[in-house]
Amino acid sequence: MRGVGEEFRAVTQISMPAVWEARHMSQDNSSYRGGIVVAGTPLGNIDDASPRLRHALATADVVAAEDTRRARNLANALGIDISGHLVSNFDHNESSRVDALIKEAQRGRTVLIISDAGMPVISDPGFPVVERAHDEGIHVGCVPGPSAVTTALAMSGLHVGTFCFDGFVPRKAGARREWLSSLATERRACVFFESPHRIEETLNAAVEILGGDHRAAVCRELTKLYEEVRRGTLEELASWAAEGIRGEITVVLEGARDANTHPPVEDLVDDVEARVRTDGLRLKDACKVVADQWGMRKKDLYEAVVDARKASE
Protein backbone atom coordinates (compact mmCIF):
# COMPACT_ATOMS: atom_id res chain seq x y z
CA MET A 1 0.00 0.00 0.00
CA ARG A 2 1.38 3.36 -0.94
CA GLY A 3 2.32 5.45 2.10
CA VAL A 4 0.84 8.86 2.78
CA GLY A 5 4.32 10.35 2.66
CA GLU A 6 4.81 9.03 -0.87
CA GLU A 7 1.51 10.62 -1.92
CA PHE A 8 2.61 13.97 -0.55
CA ARG A 9 6.01 13.77 -2.18
CA ALA A 10 4.33 13.11 -5.52
CA VAL A 11 2.27 16.29 -5.33
CA THR A 12 3.65 19.37 -7.07
CA GLN A 13 4.07 22.28 -4.69
CA ILE A 14 1.60 25.09 -5.38
CA SER A 15 2.77 28.68 -5.10
CA MET A 16 1.21 30.70 -2.29
CA PRO A 17 0.15 34.33 -2.51
CA ALA A 18 3.03 36.73 -1.91
CA VAL A 19 1.32 38.32 1.10
CA TRP A 20 0.88 34.93 2.81
CA GLU A 21 4.50 34.03 2.11
CA ALA A 22 5.80 37.33 3.48
CA ARG A 23 3.78 36.99 6.66
CA HIS A 24 4.24 33.32 7.42
CA MET A 25 7.32 32.01 5.67
CA SER A 26 9.66 34.70 6.98
CA GLN A 27 9.48 33.43 10.53
CA ASP A 28 10.18 30.10 12.20
CA ASN A 29 6.84 28.52 13.06
CA SER A 30 8.26 25.04 13.47
CA SER A 31 7.88 25.09 17.24
CA TYR A 32 7.22 27.17 20.33
CA ARG A 33 9.78 28.13 22.91
CA GLY A 34 8.36 28.20 26.38
CA GLY A 35 4.91 27.36 27.69
CA ILE A 36 2.55 24.44 27.21
CA VAL A 37 2.31 22.89 23.75
CA VAL A 38 -0.19 20.19 22.78
CA ALA A 39 0.64 18.14 19.71
CA GLY A 40 -1.28 15.66 17.57
CA THR A 41 0.46 12.35 16.93
CA PRO A 42 -0.25 9.78 14.18
CA LEU A 43 -3.29 7.55 14.58
CA GLY A 44 -1.46 4.73 12.88
CA ASN A 45 0.34 5.84 9.73
CA ILE A 46 3.73 7.24 10.75
CA ASP A 47 3.84 9.38 7.59
CA ASP A 48 1.13 11.57 9.15
CA ALA A 49 3.71 13.00 11.58
CA SER A 50 4.40 16.61 10.63
CA PRO A 51 7.85 18.22 10.56
CA ARG A 52 6.70 20.43 13.43
CA LEU A 53 5.89 17.37 15.54
CA ARG A 54 9.34 15.94 14.86
CA HIS A 55 10.95 19.22 15.86
CA ALA A 56 8.82 19.58 18.98
CA LEU A 57 9.57 16.03 20.18
CA ALA A 58 13.27 16.53 19.61
CA THR A 59 13.58 19.94 21.27
CA ALA A 60 10.97 20.17 24.05
CA ASP A 61 12.42 20.51 27.53
CA VAL A 62 9.73 18.24 28.95
CA VAL A 63 7.59 15.68 27.09
CA ALA A 64 4.50 14.64 29.04
CA ALA A 65 3.24 11.48 27.33
CA GLU A 66 0.20 9.30 27.90
CA ASP A 67 2.51 6.29 27.65
CA THR A 68 6.27 6.87 27.79
CA ARG A 69 7.00 3.59 26.00
CA ARG A 70 4.82 4.58 23.06
CA ALA A 71 6.43 8.01 23.02
CA ARG A 72 9.86 6.41 22.72
CA ASN A 73 8.60 4.07 20.00
CA LEU A 74 7.19 7.06 18.11
CA ALA A 75 10.49 8.93 18.35
CA ASN A 76 12.40 5.85 17.16
CA ALA A 77 10.03 5.44 14.21
CA LEU A 78 10.59 9.10 13.30
CA GLY A 79 14.37 8.69 13.59
CA ILE A 80 14.74 11.32 16.33
CA ASP A 81 15.83 11.42 19.97
CA ILE A 82 13.75 12.93 22.78
CA SER A 83 16.33 15.16 24.40
CA GLY A 84 14.03 16.54 27.11
CA HIS A 85 12.75 14.96 30.30
CA LEU A 86 10.12 12.32 29.46
CA VAL A 87 7.33 11.85 32.02
CA SER A 88 4.06 9.94 32.04
CA ASN A 89 0.82 11.92 32.00
CA PHE A 90 -2.24 9.69 31.82
CA ASP A 91 -5.79 9.57 33.18
CA HIS A 92 -4.91 8.32 36.64
CA ASN A 93 -1.95 10.56 37.42
CA GLU A 94 -2.40 13.77 35.39
CA SER A 95 -4.01 15.71 38.25
CA SER A 96 -0.85 15.15 40.30
CA ARG A 97 1.37 16.24 37.39
CA VAL A 98 -0.19 19.66 36.86
CA ASP A 99 1.82 21.64 39.43
CA ALA A 100 5.18 20.31 38.26
CA LEU A 101 4.44 20.83 34.58
CA ILE A 102 3.15 24.35 35.17
CA LYS A 103 6.28 25.23 37.18
CA GLU A 104 8.44 24.06 34.29
CA ALA A 105 6.49 26.30 31.91
CA GLN A 106 6.76 29.25 34.31
CA ARG A 107 10.54 28.83 34.19
CA GLY A 108 10.37 29.46 30.46
CA ARG A 109 10.71 25.84 29.46
CA THR A 110 8.69 24.14 26.73
CA VAL A 111 6.37 21.41 27.97
CA LEU A 112 5.04 19.19 25.18
CA ILE A 113 1.81 17.26 25.83
CA ILE A 114 1.13 14.21 23.65
CA SER A 115 -1.29 11.30 23.80
CA ASP A 116 -0.85 7.80 22.41
CA ALA A 117 -2.56 8.78 19.16
CA GLY A 118 -4.41 11.82 17.88
CA MET A 119 -4.90 15.16 19.57
CA PRO A 120 -4.50 15.50 23.37
CA VAL A 121 -7.38 16.85 25.47
CA ILE A 122 -10.03 15.34 23.12
CA SER A 123 -10.98 12.30 25.27
CA ASP A 124 -7.28 12.02 26.09
CA PRO A 125 -5.05 13.51 28.83
CA GLY A 126 -4.07 17.17 28.65
CA PHE A 127 -7.03 19.27 29.74
CA PRO A 128 -6.00 19.93 33.39
CA VAL A 129 -2.62 21.29 32.31
CA VAL A 130 -4.04 23.44 29.50
CA GLU A 131 -6.79 24.81 31.75
CA ARG A 132 -4.29 25.70 34.48
CA ALA A 133 -1.92 27.30 31.98
CA HIS A 134 -4.66 29.66 30.82
CA ASP A 135 -5.53 30.49 34.44
CA GLU A 136 -1.87 31.28 35.16
CA GLY A 137 -1.37 33.36 32.03
CA ILE A 138 1.07 30.85 30.54
CA HIS A 139 1.32 30.65 26.77
CA VAL A 140 -0.52 27.66 25.26
CA GLY A 141 0.45 26.53 21.77
CA CYS A 142 -0.55 23.70 19.48
CA VAL A 143 1.14 21.58 16.85
CA PRO A 144 -1.92 20.52 14.82
CA GLY A 145 -2.12 16.93 13.78
CA PRO A 146 -4.25 13.84 13.27
CA SER A 147 -7.60 13.43 14.99
CA ALA A 148 -9.91 10.41 14.80
CA VAL A 149 -12.89 12.75 15.13
CA THR A 150 -12.31 14.86 12.02
CA THR A 151 -10.93 11.90 10.06
CA ALA A 152 -14.11 9.88 10.68
CA LEU A 153 -16.32 12.86 9.83
CA ALA A 154 -14.55 13.41 6.53
CA MET A 155 -14.75 9.74 5.54
CA SER A 156 -18.28 9.01 6.76
CA GLY A 157 -20.20 10.04 3.64
CA LEU A 158 -22.90 11.51 5.88
CA HIS A 159 -24.26 15.03 6.39
CA VAL A 160 -21.68 16.47 8.82
CA GLY A 161 -21.79 20.22 8.15
CA THR A 162 -22.36 20.68 11.87
CA PHE A 163 -21.47 18.10 14.49
CA CYS A 164 -20.98 17.40 18.17
CA PHE A 165 -18.49 15.09 19.86
CA ASP A 166 -19.60 12.99 22.82
CA GLY A 167 -16.43 11.06 23.66
CA PHE A 168 -16.89 7.49 24.84
CA VAL A 169 -20.33 5.91 25.10
CA PRO A 170 -21.59 5.40 28.68
CA ARG A 171 -20.86 1.82 29.74
CA LYS A 172 -23.96 1.17 31.84
CA ALA A 173 -27.10 0.24 29.92
CA GLY A 174 -29.33 2.82 31.62
CA ALA A 175 -26.91 5.68 31.05
CA ARG A 176 -26.38 4.54 27.46
CA ARG A 177 -30.11 4.56 26.75
CA GLU A 178 -30.49 8.00 28.31
CA TRP A 179 -27.65 9.32 26.17
CA LEU A 180 -29.09 7.83 22.98
CA SER A 181 -32.51 9.28 23.80
CA SER A 182 -30.93 12.73 24.03
CA LEU A 183 -29.80 12.34 20.40
CA ALA A 184 -33.29 11.63 19.06
CA THR A 185 -33.82 15.32 18.19
CA GLU A 186 -30.16 16.29 17.74
CA ARG A 187 -29.84 17.93 14.30
CA ARG A 188 -26.05 17.85 14.31
CA ALA A 189 -24.08 14.74 13.42
CA CYS A 190 -22.69 13.10 16.54
CA VAL A 191 -19.24 11.52 16.73
CA PHE A 192 -18.34 9.11 19.50
CA PHE A 193 -15.87 6.40 20.45
CA GLU A 194 -16.83 2.85 21.38
CA SER A 195 -15.06 -0.34 22.40
CA PRO A 196 -15.11 -3.25 19.91
CA HIS A 197 -16.51 -5.37 22.74
CA ARG A 198 -19.56 -3.11 23.17
CA ILE A 199 -20.21 -1.75 19.68
CA GLU A 200 -22.84 -4.40 18.84
CA GLU A 201 -24.75 -3.69 22.05
CA THR A 202 -24.60 0.06 21.46
CA LEU A 203 -25.80 -0.22 17.86
CA ASN A 204 -28.68 -2.48 18.89
CA ALA A 205 -29.72 0.03 21.54
CA ALA A 206 -29.49 2.81 18.93
CA VAL A 207 -31.78 0.82 16.61
CA GLU A 208 -34.35 0.51 19.37
CA ILE A 209 -34.23 4.17 20.40
CA LEU A 210 -33.38 6.06 17.20
CA GLY A 211 -34.86 3.69 14.65
CA GLY A 212 -33.26 1.12 12.40
CA ASP A 213 -33.35 3.48 9.39
CA HIS A 214 -31.22 6.16 11.04
CA ARG A 215 -27.94 6.43 9.13
CA ALA A 216 -24.48 6.12 10.63
CA ALA A 217 -20.91 5.16 9.78
CA VAL A 218 -18.64 2.89 11.78
CA CYS A 219 -14.97 3.73 11.22
CA ARG A 220 -12.31 1.41 12.55
CA GLU A 221 -8.51 1.34 12.52
CA LEU A 222 -8.31 4.77 10.90
CA THR A 223 -5.11 5.33 8.85
CA LYS A 224 -3.93 1.80 9.71
CA LEU A 225 -3.44 -1.28 7.54
CA TYR A 226 -6.94 -2.64 8.11
CA GLU A 227 -8.77 0.69 7.94
CA GLU A 228 -12.46 0.27 7.21
CA VAL A 229 -15.45 2.60 7.00
CA ARG A 230 -18.87 0.96 6.90
CA ARG A 231 -21.80 3.28 6.18
CA GLY A 232 -25.44 2.25 6.38
CA THR A 233 -28.55 2.24 8.51
CA LEU A 234 -28.25 1.44 12.18
CA GLU A 235 -30.06 -1.83 11.52
CA GLU A 236 -27.57 -2.81 8.83
CA LEU A 237 -24.60 -1.80 10.96
CA ALA A 238 -25.88 -3.68 14.01
CA SER A 239 -26.23 -6.83 11.90
CA TRP A 240 -22.70 -6.39 10.57
CA ALA A 241 -21.29 -5.77 14.05
CA ALA A 242 -22.81 -9.06 15.23
CA GLU A 243 -20.16 -10.81 13.13
CA GLY A 244 -17.46 -9.31 15.37
CA ILE A 245 -15.39 -6.16 14.97
CA ARG A 246 -11.81 -5.52 16.04
CA GLY A 247 -9.72 -2.40 16.39
CA GLU A 248 -10.25 1.16 17.57
CA ILE A 249 -13.69 2.41 16.62
CA THR A 250 -15.12 5.85 15.90
CA VAL A 251 -18.80 6.17 15.03
CA VAL A 252 -20.49 9.00 13.15
CA LEU A 253 -24.24 9.21 13.70
CA GLU A 254 -26.13 11.38 11.23
CA GLY A 255 -28.23 14.11 12.80
CA ALA A 256 -32.00 13.94 13.04
CA ARG A 257 -33.64 15.30 9.92
CA ASP A 258 -36.03 18.22 10.11
CA ALA A 259 -39.57 16.92 9.63
CA ASN A 260 -40.33 20.02 7.54
CA THR A 261 -37.68 19.21 4.93
CA HIS A 262 -39.86 16.57 3.25
CA PRO A 263 -43.53 16.53 2.20
CA PRO A 264 -46.11 15.05 4.57
CA VAL A 265 -45.61 11.30 4.66
CA GLU A 266 -49.10 10.72 3.25
CA ASP A 267 -48.13 12.62 0.09
CA LEU A 268 -45.32 10.14 -0.61
CA VAL A 269 -47.53 7.05 -0.58
CA ASP A 270 -48.30 7.33 -4.30
CA ASP A 271 -44.58 7.57 -5.08
CA VAL A 272 -43.96 4.33 -3.21
CA GLU A 273 -46.85 2.54 -4.90
CA ALA A 274 -45.60 3.71 -8.31
CA ARG A 275 -42.17 2.21 -7.65
CA VAL A 276 -43.79 -1.05 -6.62
CA ARG A 277 -45.84 -1.19 -9.84
CA THR A 278 -43.33 0.24 -12.30
CA ASP A 279 -39.99 -0.95 -10.93
CA GLY A 280 -41.21 -4.22 -9.48
CA LEU A 281 -39.76 -3.42 -6.04
CA ARG A 282 -40.98 -5.03 -2.87
CA LEU A 283 -42.90 -2.65 -0.65
CA LYS A 284 -40.13 -2.38 1.95
CA ASP A 285 -37.52 -1.75 -0.73
CA ALA A 286 -39.65 0.92 -2.38
CA CYS A 287 -40.18 2.59 0.98
CA LYS A 288 -36.43 2.61 1.60
CA VAL A 289 -35.71 4.24 -1.78
CA VAL A 290 -38.22 7.03 -1.21
CA ALA A 291 -37.32 7.47 2.46
CA ASP A 292 -33.61 7.81 1.65
CA GLN A 293 -34.45 10.34 -1.06
CA TRP A 294 -36.25 12.58 1.42
CA GLY A 295 -34.13 11.85 4.48
CA MET A 296 -36.91 10.31 6.54
CA ARG A 297 -37.59 7.12 8.45
CA LYS A 298 -38.51 4.10 6.30
CA LYS A 299 -40.73 2.80 9.09
CA ASP A 300 -42.95 5.92 9.03
CA LEU A 301 -43.40 5.70 5.27
CA TYR A 302 -44.08 1.95 5.33
CA GLU A 303 -46.78 2.36 7.97
CA ALA A 304 -48.40 5.15 5.95
CA VAL A 305 -48.56 2.94 2.85
CA VAL A 306 -50.05 0.03 4.82
CA ASP A 307 -52.66 2.34 6.37
CA ALA A 308 -53.54 3.73 2.93
CA ARG A 309 -54.00 0.24 1.53
CA LYS A 310 -56.26 -0.76 4.41
CA ALA A 311 -58.33 2.39 3.97
CA SER A 312 -58.88 1.64 0.27
CA GLU A 313 -60.05 -1.93 0.82
Side-chain angles (χ1 to χ4, degrees):
M1 184 173 68
R2 193 180 191 189
V4 174
E6 295 178 68
E7 297 283 356
F8 283 167
R9 285 190 285 273
V11 175
T12 303
Q13 185 174 0
I14 300 174
S15 298
M16 293 173 288
V19 174
W20 195 96
E21 288 190 85
R23 180 177 299 172
H24 295 275
M25 300 300 287
S26 62
Q27 54 185 320
D28 179 12
N29 282 335
S30 61
S31 178
Y32 296 93
R33 296 309 305 166
I36 303 296
V37 180
V38 294
T41 55
L43 301 175
N45 191 325
I46 195 65
D47 285 340
D48 290 338
S50 68
R52 290 183 63 199
L53 174 62
R54 296 169 186 265
H55 186 268
L57 275 172
T59 62
D61 300 300
V62 179
V63 176
E66 186 175 4
D67 186 321
T68 56
R69 292 168 299 180
R70 292 195 179 189
R72 290 192 183 94
N73 290 339
L74 174 62
N76 290 336
L78 295 175
I80 61 175
D81 293 320
I82 296 177
S83 60
H85 183 46
L86 179 62
V87 298
S88 63
N89 184 61
F90 56 96
D91 290 341
H92 300 297
N93 79 344
E94 65 173 335
S95 60
S96 64
R97 294 288 194 198
V98 174
D99 287 345
L101 295 177
I102 290 298
K103 286 181 181 178
E104 292 291 336
Q106 288 174 328
R107 293 171 55 192
R109 309 188 79 187
T110 299
V111 178
L112 183 69
I113 309 292
I114 61 172
S115 60
D116 289 344
M119 185 62 69
V121 181
I122 303 175
S123 285
D124 276 330
F127 174 71
V129 176
V130 172
E131 180 185 40
R132 178 76 172 277
H134 281 291
D135 291 342
E136 299 286 342
I138 296 171
H139 176 72
V140 175
C142 179
V143 177
S147 168
V149 175
T150 52
T151 302
L153 285 166
M155 297 179 70
S156 69
L158 300 173
H159 295 282
V160 296
T162 59
F163 68 91
C164 60
F165 172 62
D166 275 7
F168 285 93
V169 176
R171 292 192 176 190
K172 295 185 178 180
R176 185 190 305 120
R177 291 180 63 85
E178 183 179 353
W179 168 69
L180 285 169
S181 296
S182 73
L183 297 177
T185 58
E186 175 58 69
R187 301 294 174 80
R188 297 170 296 176
C190 181
V191 189
F192 58 88
F193 298 146
E194 183 54 293
S195 159
H197 307 295
R198 292 189 296 272
I199 184 63
E200 180 187 358
E201 186 177 0
T202 294
L203 290 174
N204 281 326
V207 168
E208 181 182 348
I209 295 170
L210 301 177
D213 295 330
H214 198 114
R215 298 202 307 171
V218 176
C219 312
R220 70 179 192 90
E221 294 293 270
L222 290 172
T223 80
K224 301 177 184 177
L225 181 61
Y226 296 104
E227 175 182 86
E228 182 178 17
V229 177
R230 184 67 67 98
R231 186 188 71 162
T233 66
L234 286 174
E235 186 175 11
E236 293 167 341
L237 293 172
S239 177
W240 167 67
E243 301 173 6
I245 303 177
R246 293 183 178 182
E248 296 184 350
I249 296 173
T250 305
V251 179
V252 181
L253 184 68
E254 195 165 57
R257 294 296 185 89
D258 189 338
N260 295 323
T261 61
H262 58 73
V265 66
E266 294 79 9
D267 293 350
L268 297 176
V269 169
D270 289 342
D271 190 3
V272 172
E273 294 288 22
R275 292 175 184 273
V276 172
R277 292 191 306 270
T278 305
D279 300 335
L281 296 178
R282 295 186 307 164
L283 176 57
K284 287 187 176 180
D285 293 334
C287 287
K288 176 174 171 50
V289 171
V290 176
D292 287 347
Q293 176 184 350
W294 290 101
M296 60 186 297
R297 285 161 49 99
K298 181 181 73 175
K299 180 180 178 182
D300 294 339
L301 187 52
Y302 178 83
E303 290 176 350
V305 175
V306 172
D307 289 343
R309 287 183 175 185
K310 289 179 178 179
S312 63
E313 290 177 355

